[in-house]
Amino acid sequence: MTNPFTELQNRIGEINEKSGFNQAKDIPEEYRDLYWDRKLLLVISEIAEAQDEMRSGHAVDERYESYPPVPPSLAVEFASGADATEYWESRQTGKPEGTPSEMADAVIRLLGVAHEAEFDLFEVILHKLDYNETRGYRHGKQF
């Protein structure tokens, strides 16, 4: 039986496969390192987006949703723009936004890479935690 973390990794991998994001098997061997490099850089981009949310004035734990703009054809059917917006947003699935959402995206990307590369990230984390427990305070660093 797998644990919930590994089940999550597998679910992410299946979604990525269905959505066309898993392409390692289609990449010629001589370009495979560049493929994995790009995947890891996308993790970094999610972390940068998380930081940018805070730079834009959002709290580290603030979560909100964004919606596509109201189509002009719909806006003319309402007495005010606010009414059109309320109607439009009530019928849309909002896109999760904020630092927590971007952090989730980074974890999703990491789990997707692990799934595609065919290793269990949960097992690797447990092994790394066991090692980290043996290390000194701040691992001998200032911060």
Side-chain angles (χ1 to χ4, degrees):
M1 182 176 158
T2 59
N3 63 62
F5 191 95
T6 302
E7 288 177 16
L8 180 62
Q9 177 176 314
N10 291 336
R11 179 176 175 208
I12 290 165
E14 290 166 6
I15 291 169
N16 286 350
E17 183 68 36
K18 184 175 70 173
S19 301
F21 290 113
N22 292 357
Q23 300 172 330
K25 62 187 176 299
D26 302 324
I27 304 293
E29 187 64 38
E30 64 266 23
Y31 299 113
R32 195 88 28 98
D33 286 345
L34 293 173
Y35 174 81
W36 294 117
D37 184 62
R38 183 184 71 180
K39 290 279 197 169
L40 292 176
L41 286 172
L42 288 171
V43 175
I44 294 169
S45 75
E46 299 296 352
I47 299 298
E49 289 175 18
Q51 183 201 32
D52 199 48
E53 286 286 341
M54 293 188 318
R55 290 182 67 226
S56 297
H58 298 284
V60 69
D61 62 344
E62 182 181 352
R63 296 164 58 181
Y64 62 98
E65 294 180 344
S66 66
Y67 299 88
V70 177
S73 60
L74 180 65
V76 297
E77 297 178 27
F78 289 86
S80 75
D83 291 340
T85 299
E86 182 179 337
Y87 174 83
W88 177 248
E89 289 182 1
S90 72
R91 283 155 178 76
Q92 301 294 313
T93 300
K95 178 184 176 208
E97 303 275 10
T99 298
S101 179
E102 299 304 338
M103 291 171 65
D105 282 342
V107 171
I108 289 167
R109 288 201 182 270
L110 282 171
L111 288 168
V113 168
H115 185 271
E116 189 176 8
E118 300 180 352
F119 65 87
D120 187 336
L121 189 55
F122 182 74
E123 289 179 12
V124 175
I125 289 171
L126 292 178
H127 185 239
K128 185 66 178 183
L129 284 173
D130 288 344
Y131 171 74
N132 284 351
E133 284 184 323
T134 69
R135 300 180 80 184
Y137 183 75
R138 291 189 184 164
H139 306 182
K141 308 287 183 184
Q142 292 282 326
F143 53 91

